[in-house]
């Protein structure tokens, strides 16, 4: 049986934590790509001019990408929840249709 539920408020900190975790996951995927590209690529004159420093910068990118994406994700989640909570006052909440499976288990 489908039930309609309305989300009238989202906890900003909770949304920030969830989107921050998504950001860390994306950073763990993107960081190695950009970090290794910076370490390996010699095509750009600016990168070639860095010499051995590009290996250090590539390693820094490997480590800082998950942190950066996590922080940006947290801030984005926080702001999105605050904006959602403000909009809900004027236009109503987000309506979801969910199915309750627990009634089927009572048989």
């Amino acid at each position: 049986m489908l039930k309609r539920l309305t989300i009238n408020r989202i906890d900003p900190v909770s949304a920030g934590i969830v989107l921050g975790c998504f950001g860390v996951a994306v950073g763990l995927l993107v960081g190695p790509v950009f970090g290794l590209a910076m370490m390996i690529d010699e095509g750009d004159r600016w990168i070639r001019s860095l010499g051995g420093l590009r290996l250090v910068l590539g390693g820094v990118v490997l480590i800082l990408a998950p942190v950066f994406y996590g922080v940006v994700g947290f801030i984005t989640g926080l702001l999105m929840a605050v904006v959602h909570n403000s909009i809900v006052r004027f236009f109503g909440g987000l309506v979801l249709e969910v199915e309750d499976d627990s009634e089927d288990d009572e048989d």
Side-chain angles (χ1 to χ4, degrees):
M1 167 194 235
L2 286 178
K3 292 184 180 183
R4 291 174 60 100
L5 299 176
T6 303
I7 299 175
N8 291 323
R9 185 179 182 285
I10 298 175
D11 178 42
V13 175
S14 175
I17 290 171
V18 170
L19 284 173
C21 290
F22 279 132
V24 169
V26 169
L28 287 171
L29 296 172
V30 170
V33 172
F34 287 125
L36 292 173
M38 182 173 264
M39 289 179 192
I40 294 170
D41 185 26
E42 292 187 18
D44 191 3
R45 185 175 8 149
W46 179 80
I47 292 176
R48 272 184 286 163
S49 69
L50 293 175
L53 184 61
R54 70 179 181 186
L55 296 174
V56 174
L57 290 176
V60 169
V61 169
L62 276 166
I63 295 168
L64 289 184
V67 174
F68 174 76
Y69 278 86
V71 169
V72 169
F74 177 80
I75 293 169
T76 302
L78 197 74
L79 292 175
M80 288 175 63
V82 168
V83 169
H84 171 272
N85 294 339
S86 300
I87 291 173
V88 161
R89 293 181 191 157
F90 300 105
F91 299 106
L94 181 65
V95 178
L96 303 175
E97 287 189 10
V98 296
E99 187 172 355
D100 188 7
D101 291 338
S102 63
E103 293 175 3
D104 295 337
D105 295 337
E106 294 175 2
D107 292 337

